[in-house]
Amino acid sequence: MSDKDTTHFGFKEVETEAKAGLVANVFHSVAARYDVMNDLMSGGIHRIWKRFTIELSGVRKGHSVLDIAGGTGDLAARFSRIVGSEGRVVLADINESMLHVGRDKLIDHGHHGNIEFVQADAQYLPFPDDSFDCITIAFGLRNVTDKDRALRSMLRVLKPGGRLLVLEFSKPKNELLSKAYDGYSFRVIPLIGKLVANDSESYQYLSESIRMHPDQETLKQMMEDAGFAQCDYHNMTGGIVALHRGVKA
């Protein structure tokens, strides 16, 4: 079996065609408790990371925004208020369970007039070329089987001058912080998952997927290789999370 026939699912090596199904099972399992677990695992800091993403997006009234792997709709809700009735927000997620949770949450909070919900694979986005002023993907790229294909797909559906923002866990810059974060990720997070969501295995995978994700410079190079210009990134919380940004020339 060649390297192209296999990929990583956390620390495990699996057949490439099997990964999407395995990831889907994880998110079917965690969907109902996703928001609660996010707050517990990050101490609420994920809200600050997402707010910074919104600030760097450059989104304005009337814009079209695509939030890939949008999950329970944190970013989509904020973008909905910014773009207004003249704008458009598409919350896309490959996972039906996550999409249902996000749709129900946003409708319950009154965010439905300018938001569309689309089940979509980041690698094969079902939108015309040059459709969006901004694309965001928060804590989703590391679960995509072919990240290079997904980045090219995002570039295709962006309008010229449009921005891609990738918010993702990354590599801490400080060795002591890195060791402490490893301990937290592999001991505490699966335990919280077991106690709160009765699912330690899914959170074990999520911790492993963070370690297997490309570091800051590697992801920046991947974006440039996909055709994005003006690529940069901002480390947050010591590099535990990084926000990458690229522009379609």
Side-chain angles (χ1 to χ4, degrees):
M1 187 175 290
S2 70
D3 290 343
K4 289 185 178 180
D5 293 328
T6 63
T7 188
H8 289 286
F9 174 72
F11 291 161
K12 299 174 186 174
E13 190 167 312
V14 299
E15 292 184 12
T16 298
E17 62 184 20
K19 179 171 179 175
L22 293 168
V23 171
N25 289 337
V26 168
F27 284 94
H28 285 314
S29 176
V30 305
R33 297 286 185 134
Y34 190 78
D35 284 340
V36 172
M37 286 297 295
N38 269 357
D39 281 331
L40 287 172
M41 290 187 301
S42 73
I45 298 174
H46 73 97
R47 299 175 188 278
I48 297 173
W49 300 332
K50 290 170 182 173
R51 193 177 304 133
F52 186 62
T53 303
I54 298 286
E55 290 172 359
L56 261 64
S57 70
V59 168
R60 301 188 302 276
K61 186 176 180 180
H63 273 183
S64 294
V65 180
L66 171 62
D67 183 25
I68 300 172
T72 56
D74 285 352
L75 289 176
R78 291 180 172 89
F79 282 131
S80 173
R81 289 191 290 269
I82 294 170
V83 304
S85 59
E86 300 169 19
R88 172 194 185 205
V89 177
V90 177
L91 191 162
D93 204 295
I94 193 173
N95 188 273
E96 185 179 9
S97 297
M98 293 292 290
L99 199 62
H100 284 169
V101 171
R103 183 179 60 197
D104 291 348
K105 174 183 167 184
L106 290 172
I107 290 174
D108 287 347
H109 286 81
H111 297 283
H112 56 85
N114 61 357
I115 301 181
E116 303 166 31
F117 303 92
V118 177
Q119 188 170 359
D121 185 336
Q123 301 167 115
Y124 308 99
L125 292 170
F127 307 106
D129 295 358
D130 307 331
S131 293
F132 297 98
D133 298 287
C134 180
I135 296 176
T136 55
I137 178 166
F139 307 114
L141 186 61
R142 72 181 190 280
N143 297 308
V144 175
T145 302
D146 189 335
K147 297 173 181 61
D148 295 312
R149 184 189 297 273
L151 289 169
R152 292 194 300 271
S153 183
M154 294 175 208
L155 183 75
R156 179 185 64 79
V157 302
L158 265 180
K159 295 178 183 178
R163 296 182 184 184
L164 168 66
L165 293 122
V166 181
L167 179 64
E168 189 55 88
F169 291 106
S170 201
K171 301 293 185 286
K173 299 290 96 179
N174 180 281
E175 190 174 340
L176 288 176
L177 177 60
S178 184
K179 288 181 178 179
Y181 182 48
D182 274 345
Y184 176 75
S185 297
F186 292 107
R187 294 188 182 94
V188 179
I189 287 180
L191 179 60
I192 295 174
K194 182 178 182 180
L195 294 174
V196 176
N198 195 30
D199 185 357
S200 61
E201 288 187 7
S202 291
Y203 287 94
Q204 179 73 25
Y205 158 72
L206 292 172
S207 293
E208 292 177 3
S209 69
I210 292 169
R211 293 302 167 278
M212 300 305 294
H213 187 65
D215 65 16
Q216 288 91 327
E217 285 293 332
T218 303
L219 181 54
K220 179 186 175 187
Q221 186 62 55
M222 289 170 65
M223 291 173 64
E224 290 173 348
D225 291 345
F228 286 94
Q230 302 174 41
C231 296
D232 59 13
Y233 62 85
H234 300 266
N235 284 324
M236 293 181 278
T237 318
I240 287 175
V241 164
L243 177 63
H244 283 70
R245 177 174 54 177
V247 176
K248 180 172 181 175

